[in-house]
Amino acid sequence: MNRRFVLAALPLLITLTAATPPKKASAPPAPLPDLVKVVLTTELGPIELELDAKRAPIATRNFVRYVDQKRFDGITFYRAMKLPWGEQPNGLIQAGTRGDQRRDLPPIAHETTDQTGILHKAGSISMARWAPGTAKGDFSILLSDMPSLDADPKSTDPETRAGYTAFGRVSAGMEVVRQIYDAPISPTLGEGAMKGQMIAKPVKVITARRVVGP
């Protein structure tokens, strides 16, 4: 009886298995336009970004994934690096996920400025990182030209040779960037080179959204 029951049930099992629809392969991401517009709505006002997907596709695609998945909603601008030399303001502000595993996506490959042609000029947006290939969800906005962040292929120093990845610029809202830069700095927060560069009251990014259309 048991054997007959098993044999009788077998066609039903096969039928149910055959009826189960195969899993669909995940669709590849839709191609990005050459220029992607994003608005960071902060507590101090909006910052409009224009990202260069044509020349820096890896960094731009990464940033857009954070935006589309709303991983940047609620992050903060937490750092203002103020360089005391040269024409002022001289330095940058930094924002991002700060290693939050609930927000972070995998690290991305490094794109060098000598490959992309996008240099670190005032208003540029650039990926923050530790070593090349470790950039995730942190980024900087420059208030001055900072050629020291560009790749120098002739350098014998690996860090200088790699540089950082610039992938777009601020198209509107530099006055908000300046307000963040001018925010009071904590004398105690931060470690190593970042001590004395951490904003005492970080400025919140309320939302980050793509802008569709012209």
Side-chain angles (χ1 to χ4, degrees):
M1 290 291 292
N2 288 343
R3 184 168 180 269
R4 284 201 300 272
F5 176 79
V6 171
L7 290 174
L10 187 57
L12 177 61
L13 178 61
I14 293 172
T15 301
L16 291 175
T17 303
T20 303
K23 291 183 178 180
K24 293 182 179 180
S26 56
L32 295 175
D34 289 349
L35 293 177
V36 181
K37 295 182 180 181
V38 171
V39 174
L40 304 178
T41 302
T42 79
E43 292 177 301
L44 299 179
I47 301 171
E48 298 180 14
L49 305 173
E50 196 172 73
L51 311 181
D52 196 330
K54 183 176 182 179
R55 295 191 291 170
I58 297 173
T60 299
R61 169 64 66 184
N62 177 70
F63 196 91
V64 167
R65 287 176 67 199
Y66 279 90
V67 170
D68 288 351
Q69 296 177 24
K70 300 183 180 179
R71 293 173 182 264
F72 282 156
D73 291 9
I75 63 169
T76 61
F77 281 93
Y78 56 86
R79 180 189 180 202
M81 184 176 76
K82 303 179 181 183
L83 303 177
W85 59 82
E87 186 176 347
Q88 298 297 317
N90 187 12
L92 56 80
I93 61 174
Q94 188 168 316
T97 56
R98 303 186 72 178
D100 185 343
Q101 294 183 357
R102 296 168 300 175
R103 295 180 182 269
D104 273 346
L105 294 169
I108 59 172
H110 185 60
E111 291 173 303
T112 61
T113 55
D114 60 314
Q115 294 173 329
T116 65
I118 308 172
L119 303 180
H120 287 85
K121 301 289 188 180
S124 293
I125 180 170
S126 177
M127 291 303 302
R129 63 164 179 79
W130 292 109
T134 63
K136 292 183 179 180
D138 288 73
F139 57 93
S140 302
I141 296 175
L142 279 58
L143 284 97
S144 56
D145 293 356
M146 299 184 72
S148 62
L149 299 182
D150 294 334
D152 182 359
K154 298 179 181 179
S155 175
T156 57
D157 175 52
E159 272 293 312
T160 305
R161 190 163 59 246
Y164 288 77
T165 301
F167 61 103
R169 67 181 185 90
V170 173
S171 54
M174 279 300 291
E175 70 281 358
V176 178
V177 173
R178 180 61 190 266
Q179 287 183 63
I180 297 172
Y181 177 85
D182 288 336
I185 297 297
S186 167
T188 57
L189 293 177
E191 297 179 1
M194 288 193 180
K195 189 169 185 179
Q197 298 182 2
M198 309 305 283
I199 298 174
K201 186 182 177 182
V203 177
K204 187 175 181 180
V205 175
I206 301 167
T207 60
R209 295 289 184 271
R210 272 207 261 181
V211 178
V212 180

